[in-house]
Each structure stands twice: as structure tokens, then as C-alpha cells.
Amino acid sequence: MFVSTISVFADLSTVQDEDGAVLEVADGLSRIQLYGAHKAACERIVLDAYGERASIVRPGLIVGPHDPTDRFAYWPRRFRRGGRVLLPGDPAAPTQFIDVRDVAAWILGCVAAERAGVHIVTGRSMPIGEFFAACQAAVGSDVEGVWVDTGTLLKEGVEPFMGVPLWNGAPEFAAAERIDISRALAAGLTLRPPAETLADTAAWDAARGVPEKEGLAPAEEERLLNAR
């Protein structure tokens, strides 16, 4: 069993499945691409060593309770705080993630059933506007959502992927949240509802107190809201 990543794909500007071309380690790759290329190299080592016994799991964004990155927990916390909330990009833009517990269940199931092969293991793609509505419903807050388009965020120097949690903003990764998961679903992948992941993450986040690093600092959020 080897846990890889969807970052292995050479072209994430178009929708990919397990048969898509993967990156090779080379000069000139970005930090994210180099990470993916090294994971792809590891996949080849595992496949060479174990052949038909190898199980390669390519997760997308892993979220849920105990995630210290603040990429996901930021949103229910921010909606709970209320006020004007910066919503990044376009409400119709896709977002795609998977609960860590669903990834763990898939891995254990593969080991128990001796299920081999390469599988993309992430959630169903959904419009990010729908995700934000689910966040608001999960915490029951009254907020003013203010959409700030991708062009404005880029102009203001916000780093794609890292500057605003869950916001992509990079054309070369335009399809990174529309990955095809049909092979894993056909093989038994089960996904809990996003509302359950949100509720459990919000409860864990409230119990842990202040995060080490907030996904988007309040002062930076206010600056970007005023830049519209």
C-alpha cells in the first residue's frame, strides 16, 4: 500500500483519471510540481517492486478533524465569527475534498480485500458557493458573504492555493477540483456527506481553541475586501 497524491498528474488544467500522464522529475518544475514528480517516482518504485500486488492511493485534498493546516477548519470558524466574510473567486468554481476517515476506511478495505491497482480517492466535486452555504448552515451564523473575484485576488498578490483556503486561482490547475473518481466508487469507495465532515470539523476546531496559524488573517481579509 502506497499513499500518493493527485499532484502526480502532468496536466491538471484538464480533467484527469488514473490513466493520465504523470510528472517526471526535471529542472524548472514548481514546488507543487516537484512534489508531484517525486510522488510519481515513488509510485514507479512500488509498482516495480510489488507488481500486481501494489495498491496505489491518490488522494485529493484530505480534510476533517485534527487537520492542522487550517485549509478546511478555517471556513466553519470564519462563518461562526460572523460579519463580512470574504468569499474567493467564483461561486460556480469547483471544490473537491475528502474526509480523512473515508481515506482511512478505503486503505483498510484495500488491505483486507487485497485490492490492488491505482485509485484516485477523493470526494465528489461541488460548487464552492454550495460549500460556503453548507458552512453557514453547519454553524447557524448570520454573515454577509462578499465575493472577491480571482483577478482581484491575484492583482493584490494573493498566492494561489495558499493565500485563501480552498481557493485555487491558478489556470494550470484549473481541473484539480474536478478529478474523476469513478474507478474508486465502482470499487466500493464510500463518502460521508460534506455536512457531516463540516459539523465534526467545526466541533473539533471549537474545542482546540486558537489555531497555530489562521488560514486568512483578519487584517488581510479586511484589506482584500476593501480592494474590491
Side-chain angles (χ1 to χ4, degrees), residues 29-190:
L29 296 180
S30 68
R31 178 167 56 89
I32 293 174
Q33 290 173 322
L34 192 59
Y35 164 70
H38 281 140
K39 279 284 195 176
C42 291
E43 287 186 6
R44 288 189 289 273
I45 291 170
V46 171
L47 289 167
D48 287 346
Y50 295 100
E52 293 182 356
R53 295 168 55 210
S55 183
I56 307 293
V57 179
R58 293 176 176 169
L61 178 65
I62 301 175
V63 304
H66 303 284
D67 173 14
T69 67
D70 213 41
R71 294 174 296 187
F72 190 82
Y74 168 82
W75 287 110
R77 181 173 66 252
R78 179 63 191 89
F79 275 88
R80 187 168 55 239
R81 193 167 79 226
R84 290 201 310 161
V85 178
L86 184 152
L87 306 179
D90 182 335
T95 190
Q96 193 172 21
F97 51 81
I98 187 167
D99 192 300
V100 64
R101 296 164 293 185
D102 295 336
V103 178
W106 170 264
I107 290 172
L108 290 172
C110 285
V111 172
E114 298 185 354
R115 184 188 300 119
V118 180
H119 293 88
I120 295 169
V121 180
T122 190
R124 293 182 176 87
S125 186
M126 65 189 297
I128 199 167
E130 184 179 318
F131 168 73
F132 291 143
C135 286
Q136 188 165 358
V139 299
S141 69
D142 183 17
V143 303
E144 178 191 354
V146 181
W147 288 95
V148 179
D149 65 89
T150 288
T152 298
L153 294 173
L154 293 173
K155 184 180 70 175
E156 292 298 318
V158 181
E159 182 183 0
F161 288 111
M162 306 303 292
V164 180
L166 300 190
W167 169 67
N168 184 332
E172 63 270 30
F173 299 110
E177 280 80 36
R178 293 188 290 126
I179 299 291
D180 183 353
I181 61 170
S182 56
R183 181 183 295 183
L185 289 173
L189 174 66
T190 58

